[in-house]
Amino acid sequence: LSLAAVSLMLWELIACLILITKDLFEIKHYTLKRYRYEIAGAGIVSAAILFAVISLQSGYANAQAAVQKVKQNDLKSAVKYFEKAVKQDPFTASYKIDLAKLYNNLSVKEKDGKKQVVNQEQFENAEKMVQKALKLEPYNSQLYAHAASIAMGRGKIEEGLKYIDKA
């Protein structure tokens, strides 16, 4: 996505240069006032694209930090990093499904051979994240496989089987 943003910015700059130089040869008295709206508009669009690219890159960096925390078995820190990644890059479904898996792992503990919910809020958030991820990428079979794993781990066999059928 960042490569596309860079190319858009370059095209905007080329358009600004063409706009400015087009009339320079026809009119001897060039004034910046004449093109202030075009230049301001191009600047605003460029700033918006730059902000979007920075936000998406920050999301990616936080997701990578979360993966490192998972490898270090620091799941609570990993959740915080994935939450940041989801806020900064709301278009990447894999961040949401990974966050759902972490919520699920932290919210359910096995005690006396039975699984018990120890954190109801995270338990519910896991389901919300699964639904958001599947809404973003409804044809991604890997997401459905992860959703099935989460559902079956919670004892929702029928729901898990539905996800497997869609996968």
Side-chain angles (χ1 to χ4, degrees), residues 11 16 18 21 23 30 45 49 65 74-75 84-85 94 103 110 116 132 137 144 146 154:
W11 279 110
C16 287
I18 290 171
T21 58
D23 289 333
Y30 170 71
V45 170
I49 290 172
D74 185 4
L75 300 183
K84 288 180 186 177
S94 64
Y103 279 153
E110 194 166 321
Q116 295 179 337
K132 287 180 181 180
E137 295 184 20
Y144 280 103
H146 290 300
R154 292 174 167 208

Side-chain angles (χ1 to χ4, degrees), residues 120-154:
Q120 188 65 33
E121 181 182 359
Q122 284 186 341
F123 188 78
E124 292 169 2
N125 284 343
E127 184 62 33
K128 289 177 188 175
M129 283 295 138
V130 166
Q131 295 306 318
K132 287 180 181 180
L134 293 175
K135 188 175 181 181
L136 274 177
E137 295 184 20
Y139 301 109
N140 188 333
S141 60
Q142 288 181 339
L143 291 181
Y144 280 103
H146 290 300
S149 171
I150 291 170
M152 288 183 168
R154 292 174 167 208

Side-chain angles (χ1 to χ4, degrees), residues 29-85:
H29 303 289
Y30 170 71
T31 61
L32 192 58
K33 281 185 175 181
R34 181 171 184 177
Y35 298 107
R36 67 178 177 256
Y37 296 117
E38 290 87 350
I39 293 171
I44 290 170
V45 170
S46 297
I49 290 172
L50 183 64
F51 176 76
V53 168
I54 290 170
S55 178
L56 295 175
Q57 184 61 33
S58 296
Y60 176 77
N62 280 315
Q64 293 303 309
V67 169
Q68 290 303 317
K69 291 296 182 182
V70 169
K71 288 179 181 177
Q72 296 169 0
N73 207 22
D74 185 4
L75 300 183
K76 290 183 181 182
S77 294
V79 166
K80 289 177 184 175
Y81 280 113
F82 268 126
E83 286 173 342
K84 288 180 186 177

